[in-house]
Amino acid sequence: MLRALSHPDRRAFVAACKDEAKAAGELTALSALSLATVSEHLKVLRKSGLLVLEKRGRFWFYRTDAAVVERAAREVAGLMATSDVQR
């Protein structure tokens, strides 16, 4: 998950899909990347579980899986708490 979130465009895609599912074309419009590059980034986010792909009729939409994002945040917070103890 951390690797998936390491790229600023991927973080932007996760944030953009938080409140409303978006099509790949809509996400492409948010960045200066090509549709092919955005597609590769979306693949990374899907594999990490951060984004979920949903079919609506003939169209596919991406939405953020809030539970996965929250788990990642807890894990990072746990790492920070652990590193404070080790200092």
Side-chain angles (χ1 to χ4, degrees):
M1 279 184 278
L2 294 178
R3 180 184 151 317
L5 291 170
S6 67
H7 194 281
D9 284 307
R10 289 196 291 253
R11 289 192 303 271
F13 299 151
V14 169
C17 297
K18 182 180 67 143
D19 296 324
E20 180 183 355
K22 305 260 191 240
E26 293 176 284
L27 295 171
T28 301
L30 297 176
S31 72
L33 304 174
S34 70
L35 181 58
T37 302
V38 169
S39 180
E40 287 300 313
H41 284 303
L42 294 174
K43 181 178 175 182
V44 170
L45 292 168
R46 278 194 331 270
K47 285 185 173 187
S48 71
L50 291 162
L51 288 185
V52 176
L53 189 57
E54 299 176 341
K55 187 171 185 179
R56 296 184 189 166
R58 298 181 343 208
F59 302 100
W60 291 92
F61 292 88
Y62 294 87
R63 70 168 174 79
T64 300
D65 188 332
V68 174
V69 173
E70 290 168 7
R71 187 177 81 220
R74 282 193 310 272
E75 289 178 17
V76 169
L79 287 172
M80 297 307 295
T82 302
S83 68
D84 288 342
V85 171
Q86 292 176 352
R87 288 182 188 177

